[in-house]
Structures are given as structure tokens and as C-alpha cells.
């Protein structure tokens, strides 16, 4: 049965106009609720992002020279302080892994500063150090591998965000709008590198930004600044003379989990086949 | 100070941030409830679309069941979100590359569809009740008639046509919705335990299994409460469906696991440790064991063509076993996937908290709410009242 086409009577028009108004007011109310509900992660600070910064002019890159890292964990300390990351063993924007091959063993033993043994050695979850557990062991090969956000070209975390609260900037850094994040943690699941973390205090996701508030002002990320042995290299890939451009040019570099198709922007030197 | 999070103990090497399990009980119950929606709707369509008359006693009850669960699907998600007040952003500014962006639209569409379907299924009764009842109840039904009291051969065929058309769309909707929930997990490459092409299909068939199971359980239970005999023909029909879909479920789940083991990619030892460790009971006993027991009970009954009371008891027990089995499957996927570290060199051990926004108590409450709503709905729209000489249109 077909419905007959009816003449558009004025009553109906009035009703439609009324309904239109209801929808408009309702959306305005919902939108304003969103505005009042806003709160930032960072407290009062200098204007962010820096006003004279042009993000189309840069392409940031990060290098890690694992042959240099001594596992002092000053980078972890610096990052926690700089970015106000929770001082415990479960929230890190950057961390360091220790790989130790013992004589006669095929696979390395892996731990990070968050390992219970290392926490026991430091005496607190707020202090970071590696213990001396291999003191009497026959070590064949050992090295440290610093980890941080890879700021991927094809970030799976950005792909899965249902509201677009996380995004990749034109200068190549993946950021989160903490005022827009709904806290579903889908991105935490999607990151193959385990880099994303959840801030339980503000109930939003958090991640390493390569200290975006610093690099847009011409400063180095806090971890790079704190590293005493230059194991962390940072710079603009658009500038051929920058430390990172030189690092990539002069070394055979690797990225983590290349099979994921994420095209990471942290380039490693001196890592081994068993790196996770 | 109250701890803001629970840290999971681990063995081997796991990334430091992984020790706080991101998705817990609410994300276990969410696909479970969605599955019950899809499954019970499937049973309803067997009558409304395919015109299988034996499903008539439960067809309308199945629709009410589907709606009752669907209404509560968003609740566990909202409880999980850090900022539930921003939940509408998913629909206001959907990020279209996200597998989750379309959920709000899908869910809304489906709820509207089930509402309409129910309205058409009950229209004749609503008109009758509107004329019979007085007071507030009468007003409720008069509003529900939407001003049309006409019942004739024309309206009847019109209703039947809509009922069928909506059910056809509903099949796509319900199954699409649930296959999509499987895609939310299956599309993630970061987790070996989730990133499987079979995941959406397994979610779907296990969903239908659980939906039939809940319908069998509720039908038998409500028949007892109403003191009417269980329609054995109808029960058998549902039992056949349950039997068929549970075979699908077991075979697919086995195939997926066999694939993973046979391919033996990097970290397969850790997968075996996961199965033998934190998941041995929920996977080995609850998910697989219970499903296999249910399969044997029903196969035995079919072989012996068991009748009457024994059949009712056997089928209900099998249905209950399948309800537990599918819930365990959701646990094994959601929790199991996170207990296997992304390093593939370590395992985490999740212990569900009793209290808190995402605790066991809330999970039980969330699961109980749809039953409450169903109780109210069966009071408002009793599905057992026969629809006068109605035959499903072919």
C-alpha cells in the first residue's frame, strides 16, 4: 500500500518549526555542558603551543643509540618530572629495557626499571634504578634499550580513536586533546609498543609527546636533555645538518616492529634481534 | 588514599604500562549483552521472516527480550569510559577510521528498529487494550495506538508487511551489530590473541548461540511461572538451532586456535602458556568443556528422541551451560587478550575487583537490569496473548 502525498498544512509546518527549535536548543545545551566539563592535564603555564611556531616547517625525528645507553634512567626521571607522570611503576612515557644474554642461554633475560626486583633495589616505586642481579652470573652480552613513543607515520592509536581526540601533527608528533578524550582506552589497546598509558586522576589517556611544549620552543625533549651519554638523539629531519639527520645518514638504523606497518619515527642503532 | 587503579601481577617481561589492564569486566559484559540481543532477534525472525510456525510461542517474547538487552548495551560502555559525559562526542564528531565510531549510530538505529518491530507485532493487541483498559493503563495504550484504531484485512496485511520488512532489515542490523563488535577486537594488530580474521564470525555465531540459550531458559522459566505447559515443538525448534549454532561455535573457535598454534609465529610459546596458565579454567573448562557437554546432552536427546519433562530439563541445562560458555568466551577474548603481553614474552594475571565502577558487583547489576526491564515489558505488552487469527505472511 502506498501512502498518499498530503498537502503541507500550516499546522504541520508550525510543528516542524517547533521541533527544529527543540533540536537546536538541545544541541546547544549539550555543547555547553561539554565546555563546562573541560579541564586540562597541565596546570597554568606559558601559552601552548608557542605562538610563533609553524608546524608545517618541521619534521621531528628521534634516534636511540643503544650502544651508548648505560641504563642510568635519568631520562625516565626527567620525563616524569617534566611531564607530571604518576610516580609509580605502572605509568611511563619512556622507559629503559635491559637485555642480558647469559652464557649457555639462547634467549635474553629482559627487564625494565618497573621490574619488582629493581623496585626493591631502589627502595621505592618513585625511584628508578637497575639492580645488580647479574653480578655473579656469566654474562655473554648485555645492553639497554630506551623506549618511547615512536610517533608513527601510520599510528594505529590515532586510527582507532572514536572521537578524533588524538591526532598526528604536521611536524610528525602524535598528540592527545585531553579535553576531548572520552577515556575509552581503545588507543591504549591499539599501540603495538605499549607506549600509551592511562591517567587515572584525570581519566584520560596519556602518552609521550617528545615534550612537544619544549620542542616547539627550540628546546630538546627532557629525556634527551638529561641523557649523560648522548644515547638519545633529537632533531628536525627537514634540516640535513640536524643531529637526527646525521644520525640516520651515518648509521644503519632500525625501527621497532616494522611488520606492523606503522612506520615509526624513532630510529635505533645497536639493538638485537630479540628486541620486543 | 584509595588506590586509583589495580596493577596486575606478571611473569616474564611485559611493558611497564601494560600492568594496568585497560579493559576489564564492563568490556566483558558488553559484547555478551550485545550477543544476547542478536541471538534472540534471530529466533524472532525465524517466525516473522521465514514463517516457521513452531517459533510462534516465543516470537514476540524474543523481540521483547532483544529490546530489553539492547537498551542496556551502552550502559557498561558508559561505566567504562573515563569521561562518560563526553560519550556523545562519538556521535557528534565521529572519527570515521575508528572501528568504534559507528557504534552509536548502529545501536540507535537498531533500538529504533526493534521498537517499530515490536509496535507492529503488538498493534492489534494495543488497539484492543486501548479500548478495554481504563485509567492510566488505558491512556498508555491509547497513546501507543498513535491514534489509529482501525483493524481490518487491509491494516492486517499492512502490519504483516512492515513486520516482515523490518525483521529482514533487523537480521542485517542485529548480525551486523554483533559482527561489528567482533571487528572491534579482531581488527587490532597489536594483540596476537585478538587480531584474527575469524574473530567477527566467532563473535557472531557464539552470540546467536547465547541468544537462543537465553530465550530457551526464559521461555521455560516463564512457562513454569505462568503454569502453562512448555510448547515442546517450539522448544525442540530452539534446541535444534542451539545445537547447530553451538557446533559452528565450537568448530570455529577450535579452527582459530589451531591456526594460531599451527602457524607457530613468534611468541607461540607464550600463547600456550596463556592457555595453560591464567585461562585454563575459563577456556578449558567453562568455554570449551561446557559447550562440549551441552553438545553431547543434546545429541543424545536427538538420538533417543527424548520427550516431555526430560527433554525440557535437558535442553534447559544445555542452554544454561551455553550461557556460561559464551560468557566465558567473552572473558577469554577480552581479558585473555590483555593477559598476553604485547611483548609476547610475558603474561599478566587479571583479578577482577569486587567493588568499584567496573567491579563484579556492578557487572552483576548491569546484567540483572535487562531482566527487570523484560519483566516490566511483559507486563505492559504480554507476549503470550494470542494475536487473533494471525498467520505470518510468506
Amino acid at each position: 500500500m502506498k501512502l498518499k502525498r498530503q498537502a503541507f498544512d500550516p499546522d504541520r509546518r508550525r510543528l516542524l518549526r517547533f521541533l527544529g527549535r527543540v533540536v537546536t536548543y538541545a544541541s546547544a545545551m549539550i555543547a555547553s555542558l561539554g565546555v563546562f566539563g573541560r579541564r586540562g592535564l597541565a596546570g597554568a603555564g606559558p601559552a601552548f603551543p608557542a605562538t610563533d611556531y609553524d608546524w608545517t616547517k618541521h619534521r621531528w625525528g628521534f634516534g636511540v643509540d643503544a650502544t651508548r645507553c648505560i641504563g642510568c634512567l635519568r631520562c625516565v626521571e626527567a620525563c616524569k618530572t617534566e611531564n607530571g607522570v604518576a610516580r609509580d611503576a605502572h605509568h611511563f612515557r619512556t622507559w629503559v629495557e635491559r637485555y642480558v644474554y647469559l652464557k649457555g642461554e639462547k634467549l635474553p633475560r629482559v627487564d625494565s626499571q618497573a621490574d619488582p626486583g629493581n623496585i626493591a633495589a631502589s627502595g621505592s616505586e618513585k625511584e628508578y634504578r637497575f639492580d645488580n642481579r647479574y653480578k655473579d652470573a656469566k654474562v655473554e652480552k648485555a645492553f639497554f634499550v630506551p623506549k618511547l613513543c615512536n610517533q608513527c607515520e601510520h599510528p594505529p592509536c590515532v586510527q582507532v580513536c572514536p572521537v578524533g581526540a588524538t591526532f598526528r601533527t604536521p611536524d610528525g608528533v602524535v598528540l592527545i586533546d585531553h579535553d576531548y578524550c572520552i577515556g575509552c582506552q581503545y588507543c591504549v589497546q591499539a599501540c603495538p609498543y605499549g607506549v600509551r598509558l592511562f591517567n587515572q586522576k584525570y581519566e584520560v589517556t596519556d602518552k609521550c609527546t617528545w615534550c612537544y611544549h619544549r620542542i616547539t620552543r627550540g628546546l630538546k625533549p627532557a629525556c634527551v636533555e638529561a641523557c649523560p651519554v648522548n644515547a638519545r638523539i633529537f632533531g628536525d629531519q627537514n634540516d640535513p645538518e640536524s643531529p637526527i639527520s646525521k644520525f640516520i645518514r651515518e648509521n644503519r638504523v632500525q625501527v621497532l616492529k616494522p611488520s606492523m606497518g606503522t612506520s615509526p619515527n624513532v630510529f635505533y642503532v645497536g639493538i638485537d634481534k630479540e628486541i620486543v | 588514599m584509595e588506590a586509583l587503579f589495580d596493577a596486575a601481577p606478571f611473569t616474564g617481561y611485559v611493558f611497564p604500562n601494560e600492568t594496568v589492564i585497560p579493559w576489564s569486566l564492563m568490556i566483558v559484559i558488553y559484547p555478551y549483552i550485545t550477543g544476547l540481543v542478536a541471538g534472540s532477534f534471530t529466533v524472532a525472525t525465524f517466525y516473522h521472516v521465514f514463517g516457521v510456525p513452531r517459533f510462534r510461542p516465543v516470537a514476540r517474547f524474543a523481540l521483547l527480550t532483544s529490546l530489553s538487552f539492547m537498551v542496556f548495551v551502552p550502559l557498561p560502555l558508559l561505566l567504562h569510559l573515563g569521561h562518560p559525559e563526553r560519550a556523545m562526542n562519538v556521535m557528534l564528531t565521529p572519527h570515521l577510521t575508528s572501528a568504534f565510531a559507528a557504534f552509536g549510530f548502529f545501536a540507535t538505529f537498531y533500538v529504533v528498529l526493534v521498537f517499530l518491530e515490536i509496535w507492529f507485532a503488538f498493534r492489534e493487541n494495543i488497539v484492543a487494550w486501548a479500548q478495554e483498559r481504563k485509567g492510566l493503563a488505558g491512556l498508555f495504550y491509547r497513546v501507543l495506538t498513535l491514534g489509529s484504531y482501525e483493524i481490518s484485512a487491509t491494516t492486517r496485511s499492512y502490519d504483516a508487511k512492515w513486520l516482515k520488512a523490518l525483521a529482514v532489515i533487523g537480521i542485517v542490523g542485529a548480525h551486523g551489530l554483533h559482527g561489528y563488535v567482533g571487528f572491534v577486537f579482531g581488527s587490532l594488530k597489536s594483540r596476537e590473541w585478538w587480531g584474527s580474521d575469524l574473530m567477527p564470525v566467532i563473535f557472531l555465531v557464539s552470540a546467536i548461540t547465547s541468544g537462543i540459550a537465553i530465550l530457551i531458559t526464559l521461555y521455560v522459566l516463564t512457562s513454569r511461572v505462568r503454569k502453562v505447559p512448555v510448547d515442546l515443538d517450539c522448544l525442540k525448534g530452539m534446541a535444534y538451532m542451539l545445537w547447530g549454532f553451538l557446533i559452528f561455535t565450537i568448530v570455529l573457535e577450535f579452527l582459530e586456535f589451531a591456526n594460531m598454534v599451527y602457524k607457530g609465529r613468534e611468541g607461540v610459546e607464550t600463547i600456550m602458556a596463556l592457555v595453560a596458565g591464567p585461562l585454563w579454567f575459563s577456556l578449558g573448562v567453562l568455554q570449551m568443556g561446557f559447550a562440549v557437554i551441552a553438545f553431547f546432552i543434546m545429541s543424545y536427546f536427538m538420538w533417543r528422541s527424548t520427550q516431555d519433562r526430560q527433554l525440557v530439563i535437558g535442553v534447559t541445562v544445555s542452554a544454561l551451560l551455553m550461557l556460561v560458555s559464551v560468557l566465558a568466551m567473552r572473558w577469554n577474548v577480552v581479558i585473555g587478550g590483555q593477559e598476553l603481553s604485547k611483548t609476547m614474552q610475558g603474561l599478566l594475571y587479571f583479578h577482577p575487583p569486587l567493588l568499584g565502577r567496573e567491579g563484579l558487583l556492578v557487572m552483576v547489576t548491569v546484567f540483572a537490569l535487562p531482566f527487570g526491564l523484560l519483566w516490566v515489558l511483559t507486563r505492559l505488552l504480554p507476549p503470550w496473548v494470542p494475536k487473533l487469527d494471525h498467520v505470518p505472511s510468506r
Side-chain angles (χ1 to χ4, degrees):
Chain A
M1 197 180 94
K2 270 191 181 165
L3 282 171
K4 271 190 212 150
R5 213 186 146 82
Q6 286 180 342
F8 208 72
D9 63 83
D11 271 356
R12 223 165 119 190
R13 187 167 292 161
R14 211 173 301 144
L15 177 74
L16 281 177
R17 203 179 299 145
F18 170 73
L19 286 178
R21 244 178 244 157
V22 169
V23 170
T24 315
Y25 291 145
S27 356
M29 266 173 68
I30 290 168
S32 62
L33 275 178
V35 171
F36 291 127
R38 282 181 165 220
R39 49 183 176 175
L41 261 190
F48 177 76
T51 41
D52 55 347
Y53 176 74
D54 184 353
W55 65 6
T56 61
K57 298 249 159 63
H58 305 272
R59 190 162 59 90
W60 301 115
F62 205 108
V64 173
D65 189 344
T67 60
R68 285 171 168 266
C69 181
I70 54 171
C72 69
L73 297 164
R74 287 190 196 182
C75 48
V76 174
E77 182 73 38
C79 174
K80 288 242 180 187
T81 308
E82 177 70 27
N83 297 299
V85 181
R87 292 239 164 205
D88 57 39
H90 313 283
H91 299 83
F92 294 95
R93 286 186 177 200
T94 184
W95 68 92
V96 179
E97 289 165 359
R98 171 168 67 176
Y99 291 78
V100 178
Y101 290 80
L102 295 182
K103 268 204 171 67
E105 287 186 0
K106 264 188 118 174
L107 294 171
R109 294 170 180 233
V110 193
D111 66 333
S112 75
Q113 78 286 343
D115 186 84
N118 295 329
I119 292 164
S122 76
S124 156
E125 283 196 8
K126 297 176 178 168
E127 309 279 329
Y128 311 104
R129 60 166 295 181
F130 281 103
D131 65 5
N132 215 357
R133 68 181 76 172
Y134 300 112
K135 196 171 55 178
D136 302 320
K138 292 207 161 98
V139 175
E140 196 155 78
K141 175 163 79 169
F143 54 89
F144 294 102
V145 179
K147 292 280 185 81
L148 69 160
C149 177
N150 288 288
Q151 318 290 1
C152 308
E153 302 272 338
H154 309 293
C157 53
V158 171
Q159 183 185 29
V160 301
C161 177
V163 294
T166 185
F167 54 97
R168 192 165 182 271
T169 57
D171 49 357
V173 180
V174 175
L175 299 178
I176 304 170
D177 183 344
H178 292 124
D179 293 335
Y180 210 71
C181 172
I182 61 173
C184 70
Q185 302 196 57
Y186 202 3
C187 56
V188 179
Q189 303 287 9
C191 174
Y193 307 100
V195 166
R196 287 201 170 221
L197 56 145
F198 195 67
N199 184 321
Q200 277 81 13
K201 193 173 166 207
Y202 292 103
E203 308 224 56
V204 289
T205 305
D206 196 18
K207 75 181 282 294
C208 159
T209 64
W210 287 357
C211 287
Y212 201 66
H213 57 292
R214 291 174 58 90
I215 61 176
T216 49
R217 288 187 173 78
L219 300 167
K220 288 184 211 160
C223 58
V224 177
E225 192 79 48
C227 181
V229 290
N230 284 335
R232 291 173 178 250
I233 296 102
F234 182 79
D236 188 346
Q237 293 185 72
N238 278 349
D239 171 10
E241 292 311 310
S242 71
I244 186 65
S245 297
K246 277 189 183 162
F247 181 76
I248 295 171
R249 195 164 60 231
E250 289 165 7
N251 290 291
R252 310 278 197 275
V253 293
Q254 269 175 283
V255 292
L256 299 177
K257 300 191 183 184
S259 63
M260 289 284 166
T262 49
S263 302
N265 272 303
V266 175
F267 303 93
Y268 282 86
V269 160
I271 56 176
D272 210 22
K273 65 184 172 61
E274 297 293 344
I275 300 302
V276 291
Chain B
M1 202 182 91
E2 193 200 353
L4 287 169
F5 61 90
D6 294 313
F10 63 91
T11 52
Y13 178 63
V14 307
F15 291 130
N17 293 334
E18 279 189 298
T19 49
V20 188
I21 305 271
W23 286 355
S24 61
L25 295 178
M26 289 304 118
I27 310 297
V28 172
I29 197 80
Y30 152 69
Y32 187 56
I33 295 182
T34 322
L36 297 174
V37 173
S40 42
F41 194 86
T42 308
V43 178
T45 55
F46 265 74
Y47 178 70
H48 292 303
V49 179
F50 306 114
V52 183
R54 71 191 323 171
F55 289 114
R56 186 171 168 177
V58 289
R60 296 202 293 180
F61 181 62
L63 287 179
L64 295 182
T65 309
S66 193
L67 180 68
S68 303
F69 281 100
M70 191 61 214
V71 167
F72 288 101
V73 161
L75 184 62
L77 291 178
L78 289 173
L79 284 164
H80 164 71
L81 289 188
H83 283 272
E85 81 281 7
R86 297 178 188 163
M88 283 310 284
N89 291 359
V90 181
M91 288 174 86
L92 295 173
T93 57
H95 186 232
L96 296 177
T97 59
S98 169
F100 217 79
F103 173 75
F105 299 106
F106 267 29
T108 313
F109 169 78
Y110 185 72
V111 168
V112 171
L113 188 129
V114 179
F115 258 113
L116 288 176
E117 178 83 1
I118 289 175
W119 189 75
F120 280 110
F122 282 91
R123 205 187 80 85
E124 285 180 28
N125 295 113
I126 291 171
V127 169
W129 292 324
Q131 287 159 339
E132 286 164 15
R133 305 285 173 85
K134 300 271 174 293
L136 213 59
L139 181 71
F140 172 74
Y141 293 115
R142 282 199 292 282
V143 170
L144 266 192
T145 59
L146 302 181
S148 160
Y149 288 77
E150 191 188 337
I151 294 178
S152 62
T154 325
T155 60
R156 213 163 259 175
S157 83
Y158 192 76
D159 287 350
K161 216 180 276 175
W162 269 97
L163 207 52
K164 188 170 177 177
L166 287 170
V168 169
I169 304 170
I171 298 178
V172 183
H175 294 188
L177 184 75
H178 204 78
Y180 169 72
V181 173
F183 183 76
V184 166
F185 295 95
S187 61
L188 286 188
K189 56 189 167 194
S190 55
R191 291 206 182 275
E192 190 68 18
W193 193 243
W194 289 350
S196 151
D197 302 343
L198 277 179
M199 191 61 85
V201 191
I202 294 178
F203 258 73
L204 188 54
V205 288
S206 59
I208 297 172
T209 312
S210 67
I212 302 164
I214 195 111
L215 216 55
I216 291 175
T217 314
L218 286 172
Y219 176 59
V220 172
L221 191 78
T222 49
S223 297
R224 279 200 72 101
V225 171
R226 291 180 300 128
K227 296 194 173 60
V228 293
V230 172
D231 184 325
L232 284 184
D233 201 35
C234 174
L235 186 75
K236 264 192 209 163
M238 289 196 283
Y240 286 142
M241 271 181 87
L242 183 66
W243 186 76
F245 277 103
L246 106 80
I247 292 174
F248 259 140
T249 312
I250 297 176
V251 169
L252 283 174
E253 280 166 0
F254 177 76
L255 279 177
E256 191 199 29
F257 186 64
N259 246 302
M260 220 181 266
V261 177
Y262 196 83
K263 283 177 187 160
R265 280 197 283 248
E266 199 181 339
V268 69
E269 309 82 18
T270 321
I271 291 180
M272 298 313 285
L274 172 78
V275 172
L279 290 192
W280 80 268
F281 185 72
S282 57
L283 180 73
V285 178
L286 296 182
Q287 184 183 332
M288 291 316 247
F290 276 26
V292 169
I293 294 171
F295 168 76
F296 279 117
I297 292 178
M298 284 196 291
S299 304
Y300 177 77
F301 278 21
M302 279 157 73
W303 175 49
R304 299 298 300 260
S305 28
T306 309
Q307 293 294 337
D308 304 328
R309 201 179 138 77
Q310 265 191 357
L311 178 77
V312 175
I313 294 172
V315 171
T316 313
V317 167
S318 306
L320 286 170
L321 286 173
M322 282 319 291
L323 281 176
V324 176
S325 171
V326 175
L327 179 61
M329 180 265 183
R330 307 301 189 231
W331 169 284
N332 294 327
V333 170
V334 176
I335 302 299
Q338 300 172 89
E339 287 183 324
L340 177 65
S341 168
K342 288 171 181 172
T343 63
M344 296 301 278
Q345 290 190 16
L347 292 177
L348 293 125
Y349 299 82
F350 174 72
H351 299 290
L354 180 66
L355 303 172
R357 203 174 66 190
E358 295 194 68
L360 277 169
L361 225 55
V362 174
M363 178 176 162
V364 172
T365 313
V366 167
F367 189 59
L369 287 171
F371 294 98
L373 177 64
L374 182 62
W375 184 81
V376 174
L377 282 180
T378 51
R379 285 282 168 291
L380 292 173
L381 303 170
W384 324 109
V385 182
K387 220 161 103 184
L388 309 162
D389 54 65
H390 174 78
V391 247
S393 62
R394 288 265 191 178

